Amino acid sequence: MKKKELRSKQWFDNPNDPALTALYLERYLNYGMTRQELQSGKPIIGIAQSGSDLSPCNRHFQELSSRIKDGIRQAGGIPIEFPTHPIQETGKRPTAGLDRNLSYLSLVEVLFGYPIDGVILTTGCDKTTPAALMAAATVNIPAIVLSGGPMLDGSYKGKKVGSGTVVWEARKLHAKGEITYDEFMDMVAASAPSIGHCNTMGTASSMNSIAEALGMSLTGCAVIPAPYRERSQISFETGKRIVDMVHEDLTPSKIMTKEAFENAILVASAIGASSNCPPHLTAIARHMGLELDIENWQTIGHDIPLLVNCQPAGEHLMERFYRAGGVPAIMQELLKNNKLHKNVLTVSGKTVEENLKIKIDVDSDVIKSFENPLVENAGYIVMRSNFFSSAVMKTSVISDEFRKRYLSDPKNKNVFEANAVVFEGPEDYHSRINDEKLNIDEKSILMIRGCGPVGYPGSAEVVNMQPPDRLLKKGINTLPTLGDGRQSGTSESPSILNVSPESAIGGDLLIVQTGDKIKIDLNNRRIDLLISETEISDRKKNTKIPVLTNQTPWQEISRKMVGQLETGACLETESLYLDITNTKGMPRHSH
């Protein structure tokens, strides 16, 4: 196979421009690299290091990088490690959602503007995965995902406790007066027993599983627990593989095809993936130049059964899921039932079908079959309305309690009406949820606005609002909720999320008032405000868009450019930036 000329040669070994070659070369020698290495014709492999003390979910990549580098060197590459913008879901305020696009921009500039021939994308915490894949799609140099892996399973007083999910459980227990403040802290801390990201099927595990389903990581990579020896081993193998990918010119555009994205939706539905996956996957597809309509989540994925018995939709956690067979077992089951596109190319250089020709001992308590699923028809549904364009609902987390109370009317199954209680953001919710003057009861729907990509900004995970304390004490653990924000992928609330367009840009969620009657019809995928067209028109005329205050320059820039959740909450630039390595030419010289 004829090797393609390396991008890095334009920096480090260009005889036609010795002055600039010398300028680029000399400073990379000052920490011990040699001219012979950099002019050897070996590919320069970037390691996009997402781990830091600010990003504890990904921090262990600082140790794993040595094994990554071992693999790169053994395969004949030269590793260069660089930091990415930190994204920590549980640390960043106002929301890590604000930083996904910032991290994407930063990584695009590094991959395009520096002498890098291929890149290993280290991913873990929620937004680190889509940010990295969006950048890889835009630049389109050989790239491979290395997931950091989940924490070990947590335990508290002999019971499994999963990260995130335990927070929502403890919040209810504390509201009911059943645990103290200190017990709350201890209970939640028990869910984080080791290095790694969330050990539930939250957004982190979901998006890393989706990266594997897309074909962007080696088979089995997604959910190997962070402390396991196999995590170090696959780090080594990933380092080796990216070097060959550079020589093969195996780029993201050859892997992340329309069929690959459809495979990702199918896997997401089968694993009970986070409700944050639709906007993230849409964003990756858009940067790949592909149209992935929000409706695809319903048309492709809704009929897929839930096959993974893991929190928040089930019982177990990620360590057990890995030992049960992990993502490859799910993909084998989908393939067996003719659901996957089997000829899609992956980073291994092989097809999905070829990768899955392996023996897996499946633990049927954790991973179910099509014949014996945890839930039938467990994918997402896309809701439409007379006061918004679209919203999504994750049906795999509809509890028996919720179904019995709201969806089991024998005369009108899956249809109910509720009285709106509207909150202007989470601060308003927290200050008023226990106000008895609101008359919140089991016939209420809690609605929140001002929480979208523009309004918050970044779109906050706040829609999974719990009932007032007095209802919790009566055994009513979940009320219907709706909002223009998101919610944690670790939440078991069957919320109606990602309402688009959001209220902050004039979306009609603004016209809904406390006391309005709302009709929810899951059969027809409708949510409607039960007032007259005349009243709707009058309210629109009198609606005022909220005045927003920016706290940082990036908040201002983001609000001016960001789109809506139904189209991926991407930065809506005036020009398209697709496959820029091949369509925009080499970046100009610096001197």
Side-chain angles (χ1 to χ4, degrees):
M1 179 189 300
K2 184 180 179 181
K3 292 183 179 179
K4 182 179 178 180
E5 184 171 294
L6 301 174
R7 286 183 85 239
S8 59
K9 186 175 180 180
Q10 296 297 314
W11 278 261
F12 293 144
D13 192 14
N14 185 1
N16 296 322
D17 199 335
L20 282 170
T21 296
L23 184 144
Y24 294 135
L25 185 71
E26 59 91 9
R27 205 54 55 93
Y28 286 91
L29 306 181
N30 79 354
Y31 63 95
M33 296 188 77
T34 66
R35 176 185 166 192
Q36 287 71 27
E37 285 178 280
L38 295 175
Q39 293 186 334
S40 65
K42 295 179 178 179
I44 305 295
I45 303 299
I47 301 171
Q49 175 57 266
S50 60
S52 71
D53 289 354
L54 271 180
S55 304
C57 291
N58 293 29
R59 188 178 182 275
H60 57 291
F61 275 120
Q62 294 177 106
E63 286 73 46
L64 287 175
S65 68
S66 66
R67 289 300 287 146
I68 298 169
K69 291 173 182 176
D70 288 344
I72 292 169
R73 292 190 181 104
Q74 185 174 104
I78 298 171
I80 292 185
E81 186 175 347
F82 60 90
T84 61
H85 180 81
I87 307 180
Q88 178 57 37
E89 190 63 40
T90 56
K92 167 70 181 190
R93 294 168 68 173
T95 169
L98 183 64
D99 281 20
R100 187 202 68 180
N101 289 339
L102 184 57
S103 181
Y104 154 75
L105 286 176
S106 170
L107 187 51
V108 166
E109 290 301 314
V110 172
L111 297 182
F112 184 66
Y114 281 87
I116 296 172
D117 300 305
V119 64
I120 293 177
L121 309 166
T122 64
T123 66
C125 192
D126 302 12
K127 280 79 179 171
T128 59
T129 308
L133 286 170
M134 289 158 62
T138 294
V139 180
N140 201 31
I141 63 172
I144 188 169
V145 166
L146 175 63
S147 303
M151 295 182 287
L152 301 178
D153 291 357
S155 177
Y156 183 73
K157 294 184 177 180
K159 180 183 176 184
K160 293 172 187 170
V161 287
S163 41
T165 304
V166 71
V167 176
W168 321 124
E169 181 185 353
R171 187 171 68 168
K172 291 175 182 175
L173 293 173
H174 189 256
K176 290 188 283 188
E178 296 180 12
I179 60 172
T180 66
Y181 172 85
D182 287 335
E183 287 173 319
F184 196 136
M185 300 302 112
D186 290 343
M187 188 173 174
V188 173
S191 70
S194 74
I195 58 172
H197 60 65
C198 284
N199 52 22
T200 46
M201 190 61 79
T203 306
S205 292
S206 298
M207 284 306 305
N208 282 281
S209 296
I210 279 178
E212 184 173 330
L214 278 170
M216 286 298 292
S217 65
L218 293 177
T219 302
C221 177
V223 296
I224 301 170
Y228 276 28
R229 66 184 182 188
E230 290 89 345
R231 179 54 65 195
S232 290
Q233 290 166 350
I234 204 162
S235 298
F236 177 78
E237 294 299 328
T238 300
K240 285 173 57 181
R241 179 60 196 146
I242 186 61
V243 176
D244 287 339
M245 288 177 66
V246 170
H247 293 313
E248 296 163 12
D249 195 29
L250 183 52
T251 57
S253 61
K254 297 171 184 176
I255 296 166
M256 290 196 285
T257 60
K258 182 75 170 178
E259 292 76 18
F261 281 97
E262 291 179 356
N263 283 350
I265 290 175
L266 292 162
V267 170
S269 298
I271 65 177
S274 162
S275 54
N276 290 308
C277 293
H280 289 326
L281 197 64
T282 297
I284 298 165
R286 286 189 64 189
H287 289 292
M288 201 75 260
L290 299 172
E291 184 177 341
L292 190 70
D293 191 88
I294 188 68
E295 198 73 27
N296 291 146
W297 284 86
Q298 181 173 292
T299 56
I300 295 170
H302 177 59
D303 294 340
I304 298 299
L306 178 63
L307 302 179
V308 177
N309 183 16
C310 283
Q311 297 179 23
E315 175 187 359
H316 299 291
L317 298 170
M318 288 298 103
E319 185 180 5
R320 183 78 183 273
F321 176 48
Y322 167 68
R323 296 172 75 89
V327 175
I330 298 302
M331 294 185 73
Q332 278 190 348
E333 182 66 13
L334 288 166
L335 189 62
K336 186 176 81 173
N337 287 274
N338 299 313
K339 296 297 182 182
L340 288 183
H341 298 287
K342 62 183 182 181
N343 293 320
V344 173
L345 190 62
T346 72
V347 291
S348 70
K350 301 176 183 178
T351 65
V352 166
E353 183 179 37
E354 290 171 329
N355 287 341
L356 294 175
K357 287 181 178 177
I358 52 178
K359 187 180 185 306
I360 302 175
D361 293 321
V362 175
D363 180 348
S364 61
D365 186 41
V366 183
I367 296 177
K368 305 296 182 179
S369 65
F370 267 62
E371 292 73 30
N372 183 35
L374 209 64
V375 181
E376 297 276 7
N377 303 323
Y380 298 84
I381 56 176
V382 178
M383 308 295 283
R384 306 294 180 179
S385 174
N386 63 350
F387 63 94
F388 60 76
S389 169
S390 73
V392 297
M393 184 177 185
K394 179 178 171 180
T395 60
S396 62
V397 292
I398 296 176
S399 65
D400 292 340
E401 176 196 334
F402 189 93
R403 191 175 298 280
K404 182 178 180 181
R405 182 173 294 121
Y406 299 108
L407 305 176
S408 298
D409 182 348
K411 296 179 181 178
N412 213 3
K413 276 202 162 191
N414 298 319
V415 180
F416 66 98
E417 294 183 5
N419 301 312
V421 181
V422 182
F423 298 101
E424 307 294 342
E427 297 84 2
D428 185 31
Y429 160 74
H430 288 297
S431 69
R432 293 198 299 134
I433 185 61
N434 288 311
D435 186 345
E436 294 190 7
K437 294 178 183 177
L438 291 175
N439 295 317
I440 299 172
D441 59 20
E442 62 266 34
K443 295 181 180 178
S444 299
I445 178 170
L446 307 181
M447 304 176 75
I448 192 167
R449 60 192 175 204
C451 302
V454 174
Y456 205 70
S459 186
E461 297 186 341
V462 295
V463 181
N464 54 316
M465 297 168 281
Q466 73 180 24
D469 296 356
R470 58 185 174 79
L471 292 187
L472 290 170
K473 291 172 183 176
K474 288 171 58 177
I476 298 171
N477 293 301
T478 308
L479 292 177
T481 57
L482 177 149
D484 55 8
R486 300 175 295 111
Q487 75 181 26
S488 169
T490 65
S491 173
E492 59 183 356
S493 174
S495 305
I496 297 158
L497 302 155
N498 305 357
V499 166
S500 301
E502 64 178 295
S503 59
I505 63 169
D508 288 340
L509 183 56
L510 273 176
I511 71 172
V512 182
Q513 299 175 2
T514 293
D516 284 342
K517 187 75 74 175
I518 307 291
K519 182 179 179 181
I520 296 93
D521 182 348
L522 300 190
N523 299 321
N524 293 302
R525 320 292 199 248
R526 294 287 306 178
I527 303 169
D528 288 300
L529 176 59
L530 300 181
I531 60 176
S532 69
E533 290 297 324
T534 301
E535 177 68 10
I536 288 175
S537 179
D538 289 343
R539 289 190 188 183
K540 286 182 178 181
K541 291 175 186 175
N542 295 313
T543 295
K544 293 182 179 179
I545 298 175
V547 176
L548 303 174
T549 301
N550 298 306
Q551 296 173 302
T552 66
W554 172 239
Q555 288 185 13
E556 179 180 342
I557 294 166
S558 179
R559 278 175 159 152
K560 287 178 179 178
M561 297 184 68
V562 74
Q564 293 298 285
L565 287 168
E566 68 179 349
T567 54
C570 301
L571 297 176
E572 302 295 344
T573 53
E574 292 182 4
S575 302
L576 288 177
Y577 294 90
L578 304 174
D579 186 16
I580 61 174
T581 297
N582 295 305
T583 61
K584 301 295 184 181
M586 290 290 289
R588 297 172 73 181
H589 285 296
S590 60
H591 289 75

